[in-house]
Amino acid sequence: MPGLDALPFPLPTVQQIIFVLIAGMTVTGALITALAPNLFHNALGLVLAFFGVAGVYVLLEAEFLAISQVLVYVGAIATLITFAIMLTRGMMFGRTSSTNRLMLSAAIISVLFFLVMTGLLVSVAWPEAGAELASSEQMIADLGELFVTTYLIPFELMALLLLAALAGAILLARD
Amino acid sequence: MQHWSTTLTNFFTGLGLPEAAALAIAFIIGATALAIFAPTLALGLIWITRKIVSRIQDRIGPNRVGPFGLLQTVADAAKLLSKEDISPTEADRVAYNLAPIISVFGVIMSTTVIAFAPGIIGADLHVGVLFLVALGSLGILSALMAGWSSNNKYALLAGFRVIAQLLSYEIPMVLAMLGPVLLVGSMRLQALSEFQSLEIAGFNIGLGWTAFVMPAVFLIYFISALAEGEQTPFDLLEAESELIAGFHIEYSGMKFAMFFLAQFLNSFFLGAIAVMLFLGGWQGPFVDQLPILGVVYFLGKSMLVYAVIQWIKGTYPRVRIDQMMAFAWKVLVPMVLGLILWQMMALKLPAPTWVQYAAILIGNLGAIAWIVVILNRHFLNEEVRTKRAFEPASLIGTMQPAPPSGD
Amino acid sequence: MVPLNWYLVLAALIFSSGLYASLARRNAIAALMGIELMLNAVNINLVAFWRYGEFVEQLDGQVFALFVIAVAAAEVAVGLALVISVYRSRKTVNLDELDLLQG
């Protein structure tokens, strides 16, 4: 539209606005997970963070990964974590503090880490825009092909790992 | 056929709007239409349920409010709206209020990928089938939140049971969904519906249903959908005489209405997914010439499947929780795994397509025959065990003499 | 287009939150939640570098991210089973009170 070219800063594109919204949701979820005193609120914040990360994958045009993220993380891991919270009743005995004696040093380390990383990241000249992607349907087929050709051994090892985790978890959690 | 958003966008750009605004307005109209469609459909579904179940139970059902009782659901909604909104004191505010919203949200989100007609689909995702599976996990999450935040032991226990049921039956459901996806080679729901056409003398009569090739997989999906939608015979949640009302004990008024709405819509949409995957979707005669007929065929088939689900609801008793879990893990999962393995091997045979389909059909029929044989043996055993087969044909000569009177 | 460093800064932020949660929380399950956040941040990094890299046709970034998701699932299952087992014998999941091995 004419008239807006005279602004001193460039207008954000629609993609950038959507990214800021989804990133805001993810960061809110992550901060609730880290900082809220109520354990169940932590679990809800974690679910929000998982959905936000799935949104980031959709923005990065990795659809299959986004749906797998929701399926595995929200559908299974968040449910597991909430079950464990309910079964251990860690939040029901008194209103003790939710942080341990390492809180101050952990906070300093986390903030320092974030500042160092951000300082490093904004100082590098990354490529501006990615290349154009092929059709997503072909990408799913290519993913499947990769799993059974180049990454066959990690795939089979993953199956073995999941089987071992399954057996181990059942054994550990039995009476 | 062109995607509906393209048609609408062209209409708006023809009116002189910029491209981005036309696109935004077209999608807002589509989203609003879907959001209005779902609850309106629920009104009709509740009426259908009550009429069918009441006729099976030899009574008339609602017939006072409106013609044939059609406005009964509106009256019920008004009653629920006017109820006092009671919350338990110690309930977790955030989770307690969020649970019904997430429940309805997950169900209405699934309307976006349903293929109503050749060009009418909300978003033709390349991972459409997987998206529908992922939305089931939202329902599990809302049940968890409702059960925990009600601060009620019974709600928590009922929540555990419901989550165990939903998680256990999600596995055979997902694997059964894999059957048609393997056959068609795509997870796009439009591709699945387009595949199920049948050309006879150049005319598409739309009867190339996947269910004709894999009836056992369709049956397994249908049973798992019954369990996922918490319908009889797996409706432990609705069993008002057992454990009161399940995880929504502490919910009243509009929040309960949201759970209710979500449950009805969920069972309808699971039936709609069965129609899309197995029963041809929007396929039918004359769909190529008049694409809007696809909506009629699709909704008609979904309503038929929903009526069958309600028919089952009025006929069968409930199963116990341990019978239900045993059935899921010990019967359905091995069966569907075996069927999918057989199908994968059949699809890799170096033979023409119809030979592969025939092989899949033989495998499915073999699985059904095996189950029938085992059931037959089981019933015979039970008959022998309860000694009914050995009852005498007539009771004459077996009567005991009357006890002496006056003692 | 969204610049790449926005995604990386987001991942750094989530990673720092996860780091804080796993170091400073008293409850064992909250610490596990922090680990999950860190794994998610790493995944965002992987997928962002795949998308903005030179070889977008090779889907190795996505495959790596899928493996990370699967490993996270296995790890959280075993970790939570351990936590439940510890709760059964010690009646607490407070990390400050689980100090039997402390010298």
Side-chain angles (χ1 to χ4, degrees), chain C residues 5-74:
Chain C
N5 47 10
W6 289 22
Y7 287 109
L8 303 177
V9 168
L10 172 68
L13 190 52
I14 299 177
F15 191 87
S16 322
S17 311
L19 191 62
Y20 175 75
S22 61
L23 285 178
R25 295 297 302 245
R26 211 178 245 234
N27 199 315
I29 302 179
L32 273 173
M33 287 198 237
I35 296 182
E36 291 307 310
L37 277 179
M38 288 197 270
L39 284 167
N40 271 302
V42 163
N43 262 348
I44 294 183
N45 256 348
L46 279 170
V47 181
F49 276 126
W50 161 73
R51 182 68 184 89
Y52 284 80
E54 288 179 2
F55 305 102
V56 188
E57 312 80 38
Q58 296 176 6
L59 303 167
D60 297 18
Q62 280 196 43
V63 172
F64 206 151
L66 277 171
F67 277 130
V68 170
I69 292 181
V71 169

Side-chain angles (χ1 to χ4, degrees), chain B residues 168-186:
Chain B
S168 311
Y169 279 92
E170 195 173 327
I171 298 180
M173 191 171 90
V174 173
L175 287 171
M177 275 179 171
L178 196 58
V181 168
L182 276 178
L183 204 63
V184 176
S186 164

Side-chain angles (χ1 to χ4, degrees), chain B residues 161-169 227 230 234 236 324-325:
Chain B
R161 275 194 331 186
V162 160
I163 294 166
Q165 171 182 340
L166 291 178
L167 278 177
S168 311
Y169 279 92
E230 289 145 23
F234 305 108
L236 284 161
M324 192 179 65
M325 302 291 278

Side-chain angles (χ1 to χ4, degrees), chain A residues 38 41 64 75 82-83 86 137, chain B residues 92 137 144 148 156 160 186:
Chain A
N38 187 350
H41 288 170
F64 184 73
T82 321
F83 258 111
M86 290 186 208
E137 201 153 6
Chain B
D92 202 48
S137 56
L144 207 58
W148 173 252
L156 191 61
F160 280 163
S186 164

Side-chain angles (χ1 to χ4, degrees), chain A residues 15-16 19 26 34 36 39 42 50 57 60-61 65 69 73 88 98-100 113-114 131 133 151 158 173, chain C residues 1 6-7 13-16 20 24-27 36 40 43 47 51 56 60 62 67 70 72 80 87-88:
Chain A
Q15 276 191 334
Q16 293 179 348
F19 173 79
T26 318
L39 194 57
N42 290 345
F50 288 157
Y57 291 154
L60 286 169
E61 298 182 53
L65 195 58
Q69 157 97 6
Y73 268 111
T88 56
S98 66
T99 57
N100 58 19
F113 178 80
F114 173 62
L133 266 183
Y151 293 98
M158 179 65 51
Chain C
M1 280 293 278
W6 289 22
Y7 287 109
L13 190 52
I14 299 177
F15 191 87
S16 322
Y20 175 75
R25 295 297 302 245
R26 211 178 245 234
N27 199 315
E36 291 307 310
N40 271 302
N43 262 348
V47 181
R51 182 68 184 89
V56 188
D60 297 18
Q62 280 196 43
F67 277 130
L80 286 173
Y87 177 77
R88 285 222 184 96

Side-chain angles (χ1 to χ4, degrees), chain A residues 15-89:
Chain A
Q15 276 191 334
Q16 293 179 348
I17 297 179
I18 295 180
F19 173 79
V20 168
L21 286 173
I22 293 184
M25 183 168 104
T26 318
V27 167
T28 314
L31 286 176
I32 293 178
T33 310
L35 299 173
N38 187 350
L39 194 57
F40 196 61
H41 288 170
N42 290 345
L44 289 180
L46 194 63
V47 170
L48 191 62
F50 288 157
F51 274 115
V53 172
V56 170
Y57 291 154
V58 170
L59 268 179
L60 286 169
E61 298 182 53
E63 283 179 340
F64 184 73
L65 195 58
I67 308 274
S68 306
Q69 157 97 6
V70 173
L71 253 179
V72 173
Y73 268 111
V74 176
I77 293 185
T79 315
L80 258 181
I81 288 182
T82 321
F83 258 111
I85 293 177
M86 290 186 208
L87 285 176
T88 56
R89 286 181 285 164

